[in-house]
């Protein structure tokens, strides 16, 4: 319908578009644009077996790995941050 809003909550967006087993690209912008709200919602909703992709290995990736959400991580090898949970 014309004029229908496409705005949604983070909860609903993750629930509808990111099932367990998905590949998700997070933080493809600069470090100040890391999508913490989306990552924390993935954790809250208990998503599992995610493949995370990003140019930087940041604290959000460490949180997702530590929460048991990630089965595979594809990170930029030149990243200067070494996540603690990533080494598990």
């Amino acid at each position: 319908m014309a004029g229908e809003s496409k705005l949604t909550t983070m909860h609903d967006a993750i629930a509808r578009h990111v099932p367990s087993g998905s590949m998700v690209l997070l933080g493809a912008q600069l470090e100040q644009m890391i999508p913490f709200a989306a990552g924390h919602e993935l954790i809250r909703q208990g998503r599992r077996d995610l493949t995370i992709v990003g140019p930087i290995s940041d604290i959000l990736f460490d949180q997702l790995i530590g929460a048991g959400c990630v089965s595979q991580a594809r990170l930029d090898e030149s990243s200067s941050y070494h996540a603690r949970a990533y080494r598990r």
Side-chain angles (χ1 to χ4, degrees):
M1 288 190 166
E4 186 176 331
S5 177
K6 294 181 181 181
L7 292 177
T8 187
T9 64
M10 185 63 68
H11 176 273
D12 291 345
I14 297 295
R16 183 173 181 188
H17 299 292
V18 189
S20 290
S22 293
M23 178 182 290
V24 292
L25 173 66
L26 297 167
Q29 310 236 340
L30 301 173
E31 286 192 40
Q32 67 270 23
M33 303 289 284
I34 296 168
F36 284 103
H40 293 164
E41 191 60 39
L42 289 167
I43 294 168
R44 274 192 290 276
Q45 291 189 24
R47 294 299 185 260
R48 296 289 181 256
D49 298 319
L50 298 175
T51 297
I52 54 174
V53 180
I56 57 173
S57 163
D58 58 37
I59 190 69
L60 177 59
F61 281 21
D62 198 36
Q63 291 172 347
L64 287 164
I65 293 165
C69 298
V70 176
S71 63
Q72 186 176 22
R74 296 182 184 179
L75 311 173
D76 179 9
E77 293 179 17
S78 66
S79 176
S80 61
Y81 178 83
H82 300 286
R84 295 175 191 261
Y86 181 72
R87 293 183 283 224
R88 287 186 191 171

